[in-house]
Amino acid sequence: MTSDTLSTTPLGDAMTTDIETRIRRLEDRQALSDLVATYGRVVDDRDLDALRALWTDDAVFESTVGPVSGRDEVVDHYVERMRMFEASFHIPHSQTVEFASDDEAHGIVTAHAELGMPDGAFWVALRYHDRYRRTADGWRFVERRVRQLYAMPLAQLADGLSEGLRKRWPNTPRAEAELPESLDTWASWTAGSSS
């Protein structure tokens, strides 16, 4: 039996398809990782054209000020927020991805952002809850929803991390962070540990 014969058998076809699918998934995961890394760089570089290219036309971005819909509106939102600080450094740490189909996926990215504010360094620890779509131009963000563990001046971080009101954006009242208190697992943990 030759290798040509093996490749036309049902088992050979199944193995080939499985390998092709697995390779495509690996390539897709790398492309999504690159999308996330590129996002941080272009935000920090203030490269608005490159930022715009990362989103679908029907994009949604939700941050502390609520959701913004539409690619141009998302970029306009970034411009407004970028005016709050000087230099910035967005650092993605990890990304988990689940595929809904060959062209749709969702994931969670853990990250930090270091922001140069008028009163000094400001740090944010967050998770992006993302939806991604494959387009003719590659994978793009359909949706990014930000959930924060803390957002505060670096000088307050040493003591502030153990306090309840960890969202301390300039010119706004201190607020409770979404993470981890909003998680069901956290509620179960704290209910179990208090008994």
Side-chain angles (χ1 to χ4, degrees), residues 149-167:
L149 173 69
Y150 63 77
M152 65 182 68
L154 179 57
Q156 296 177 14
L157 187 56
D159 296 326
L161 186 57
S162 61
E163 297 177 6
L165 302 177
R166 295 187 306 273
K167 288 171 62 174

Side-chain angles (χ1 to χ4, degrees), residues 29 32-34 36 93-97 107-110 130 132:
R29 286 182 183 279
L32 290 167
S33 177
D34 290 349
V36 166
H93 296 298
S94 64
Q95 178 186 35
T96 56
V97 175
I108 298 175
V109 175
T110 60
D130 292 341
Y132 315 104

Side-chain angles (χ1 to χ4, degrees), residues 103-123:
D103 300 323
E104 299 277 342
H106 57 92
I108 298 175
V109 175
T110 60
H112 274 86
E114 301 173 11
L115 310 174
M117 295 289 203
D119 293 332
F122 193 90
W123 281 28

Side-chain angles (χ1 to χ4, degrees), residues 1-58:
M1 190 180 298
T2 67
S3 60
D4 291 337
T5 306
L6 284 175
S7 67
T8 59
T9 63
L11 180 58
D13 287 345
M15 289 176 67
T16 302
T17 301
D18 185 52
I19 289 170
E20 289 171 356
T21 300
R22 291 167 62 190
I23 290 171
R24 184 172 184 179
R25 281 287 188 255
L26 290 171
E27 291 173 342
D28 289 340
R29 286 182 183 279
Q30 184 60 56
L32 290 167
S33 177
D34 290 349
L35 178 69
V36 166
T38 300
Y39 167 89
R41 180 179 48 79
V42 301
V43 168
D44 295 337
D45 293 352
R46 308 303 193 262
D47 186 342
L48 300 181
D49 291 335
L51 179 62
R52 182 176 281 103
L54 300 180
W55 298 86
T56 60
D57 288 337
D58 59 341

